[in-house]
Amino acid sequence: MDFNLKKLTSDAGVFFTRAVQFTEEKLGSAEKTELDAHLENLIARADCTKNWTEKIFRQTEVLLQPNPSARIEEFFYEKLDKKIPSRTTNGELLGQYMLDAAKDFGPGTPYGSTLITVGEYQSRLGGAEREFLQTSAINFLTPLRNFLEGDWRTISKERRLLENRRLDLDICKARVKKAKQAEAKAAAEPDFQETRPRNYVLSASASAQSSGGWDSWDLEDSKESANVMDQRKLWSEEVDKAEQELRVAQTEFDRQAEVTRLLLEGISSTHVNHLRCLHEFVEAQATYYAQCHQYMQELQKELSRYPNSFASNANPSTSATCPSPVSSATLPGVSPPCLASTSTPGIAREPSGPLKIQDVQQPSTGHRKAKVLYDYDAHDTSELSLLADEVGAAMVHICYGEPFGTCCIM
């Protein structure tokens, strides 16, 4: 217990002196030993590497796992040294939902069979995502984490030790400087016997003769001289002690600076290792996206084999349609009346499913008979005023580029 108390007291004293030296350096009242330029450049490069590696690591975690709650859960499992439980990906979960829905809707129905096919491919996409996450975590995240939690902690520890050695060196330099100044001041003080005034010696001699001797005066002179000599000797010993401590502190500082330099030079090999990991991460990404593209192409081929049951066939019989408003390119600002046109070869009725414009044969423009369904008043001289149920010859023109079935009176 006594030993621990002494050690604690000694450590507290060292910490206090270092704190005083550090504060004086910040205030500019104490000299600071500067590191060499090469070591300073290595330290700056190491700090830059640490900062950007940490940012890349954190953002890669966000990319691979956008859910912050899941990241916190994985963090606690890592700190507790427990295995992270397997987590279902979103694609796998969606695929499972589709398969379960197909069972309820009926696998034999068009919707159910399609759900089964899409669900299987969604599960494949989820599996590919799982492999990508595992590969990226092993080949990219783990080396970055090892650097931040391993190599960088060692470098930081040695840098703190180097800073302490530098503070100790500066403290020893300050002690040597103060001891030499005190020694010079003590050496400059005159000896009492050598600088005694002559009249003081004569008066002291007369007094000594009247008292019968010189013993008391000689004793006082010898004491004064002894004190001066003791002070000079004491400061000389203090200078020697301070210089010895300075040599030891300089040796420890140089040794620690060399150790720190070797560790910082290892940052170059760290960059090479991270470069290799980056290539592996890109390869994993390329493989993942290539698999996703392949699965989606296969899924499209599978879906194209199924009958398009949700699109009805075109009905060639005559029917009354109410077309969508014509664009400003056909009749600016005018909505044409709804027309009941007869069936014309090459003109299909509006289907319920999607229809491509290139699949429709463009009809020839000619005179047709049309029946007006509603009254329409012309807005200008380029239009016709029509009455309901009026039948007459008119030029019916299908306006391509507009919603299918839009027509106008020409």
Side-chain angles (χ1 to χ4, degrees):
M1 183 63 184
D2 294 338
F3 174 78
N4 294 335
L5 181 60
K6 291 180 180 179
K7 185 177 183 301
L8 179 62
T9 304
S10 176
D11 293 341
V14 172
F15 176 78
F16 179 76
T17 54
R18 289 173 179 172
V20 171
Q21 177 66 24
F22 182 80
T23 304
E24 291 179 352
E25 289 177 357
K26 291 298 181 181
L27 296 176
S29 58
E31 296 181 359
K32 177 182 178 180
T33 301
E34 299 293 340
L35 302 177
D36 60 277
H38 178 62
L39 187 57
E40 289 285 357
N41 292 334
L42 291 177
I43 292 175
R45 186 187 184 197
D47 290 336
C48 182
T49 301
K50 182 261 180 181
N51 293 334
W52 285 112
T53 300
E54 190 173 17
K55 290 181 179 179
I56 293 173
F57 174 78
R58 299 303 178 194
Q59 191 59 35
T60 305
E61 281 188 328
V62 174
L63 174 66
L64 298 180
Q65 181 53 264
N67 189 355
S69 301
R71 294 199 303 271
I72 294 176
E73 181 182 357
E74 293 176 359
F75 174 77
F76 280 114
Y77 274 105
E78 290 177 358
K79 293 303 179 183
L80 296 175
D81 293 333
K82 293 185 177 181
K83 184 179 179 181
I84 301 176
S86 178
R87 182 178 289 105
T88 305
T89 61
N90 295 326
E92 292 174 332
L93 188 60
L94 176 60
Q96 186 61 41
Y97 286 166
M98 289 183 174
L99 294 177
D100 294 341
K103 294 179 182 179
D104 292 340
F105 296 150
T109 62
Y111 185 36
S113 60
T114 305
L115 278 175
I116 292 176
T117 302
V118 177
E120 290 176 352
Y121 277 92
Q122 292 296 329
S123 299
R124 294 182 184 181
L125 291 174
E129 181 183 2
R130 178 189 299 276
E131 294 179 0
F132 167 64
L133 296 178
Q134 293 176 352
T135 303
S136 300
I138 295 174
N139 296 336
F140 190 63
L141 286 181
T142 300
L144 298 183
R145 182 186 295 110
N146 291 338
F147 168 73
L148 294 173
E149 297 181 357
D151 297 344
W152 181 252
R153 288 186 178 181
T154 303
I155 293 174
S156 300
K157 179 180 178 182
E158 297 300 330
R159 284 179 58 182
R160 288 194 299 268
L161 189 57
L162 176 62
E163 181 67 14
N164 292 335
R165 294 289 182 265
R166 186 195 63 77
L167 291 174
D168 294 341
L169 178 61
D170 291 335
I171 291 171
C172 291
K173 289 181 178 180
R175 287 178 181 174
V176 170
K177 184 177 180 180
K178 292 179 180 179
K180 288 184 176 181
Q181 290 177 354
E183 183 185 24
K185 184 177 179 181
E189 291 182 358
D191 192 354
F192 181 75
Q193 292 182 352
E194 295 177 355
T195 60
R196 182 179 297 170
R198 180 173 180 79
N199 56 355
Y200 177 79
V201 174
L202 294 176
S203 61
S205 177
S207 175
Q209 289 178 1
S210 62
S211 61
W214 292 79
D215 295 337
S216 60
W217 294 98
D218 293 339
L219 182 60
E220 293 178 1
D221 293 343
S222 61
K223 287 182 179 180
E224 292 292 339
S225 300
N227 290 335
V228 173
M229 295 299 296
D230 290 341
Q231 289 182 357
R232 292 177 180 176
K233 183 179 180 180
L234 179 62
W235 284 114
S236 178
E237 292 176 354
E238 186 68 22
V239 170
D240 294 339
K241 181 180 178 181
E243 290 179 347
Q244 179 63 23
E245 292 178 353
L246 177 60
R247 287 191 291 269
V248 174
Q250 184 68 50
T251 302
E252 293 180 353
F253 172 76
D254 294 339
R255 184 185 301 112
Q256 185 61 35
E258 182 65 19
V259 172
T260 307
R261 183 185 63 81
L262 293 176
L263 288 175
L264 293 175
E265 288 178 348
I267 294 295
S268 299
S269 60
T270 300
H271 286 184
V272 174
N273 184 30
H274 289 180
L275 177 61
R276 178 183 57 82
C277 297
L278 184 60
H279 279 279
E280 294 179 356
F281 174 66
V282 173
E283 289 293 332
Q285 272 188 317
T287 302
Y288 167 63
Y289 290 121
Q291 288 180 348
C292 293
H293 181 67
Q294 179 183 357
Y295 290 153
M296 293 309 299
Q297 284 185 329
E298 294 176 358
L299 177 58
Q300 287 180 329
K301 291 180 181 179
E302 290 289 337
L303 294 181
S304 64
R305 297 174 184 175
Y306 293 162
N308 194 0
S309 59
F310 57 85
S312 61
N313 294 329
N315 185 11
S317 61
T318 304
S319 62
T321 60
C322 184
S324 302
V326 185
S327 67
S328 59
T330 305
L331 290 178
V334 178
S335 298
C338 298
L339 302 176
S341 59
T342 60
S343 176
T344 305
I347 303 178
R349 311 307 300 170
E350 182 177 1
S352 59
L355 181 63
K356 298 181 180 179
I357 193 64
Q358 57 267 23
D359 296 336
V360 181
Q361 180 181 0
Q362 183 176 0
S364 59
T365 303
H367 293 283
R368 300 289 186 272
K369 286 187 177 292
K371 180 180 179 180
V372 181
L373 300 180
Y374 305 103
D375 294 340
Y376 180 76
D377 296 331
H379 291 77
D380 51 34
T381 57
S382 63
E383 299 178 353
L384 297 175
S385 297
L386 301 173
L387 297 177
D389 299 329
E390 183 179 358
V391 179
M395 183 177 292
V396 181
H397 179 68
I398 300 299
C399 303
Y400 290 93
E402 300 298 325
F404 187 80
T406 300
C407 59
C408 58
I409 300 297
M410 302 297 294

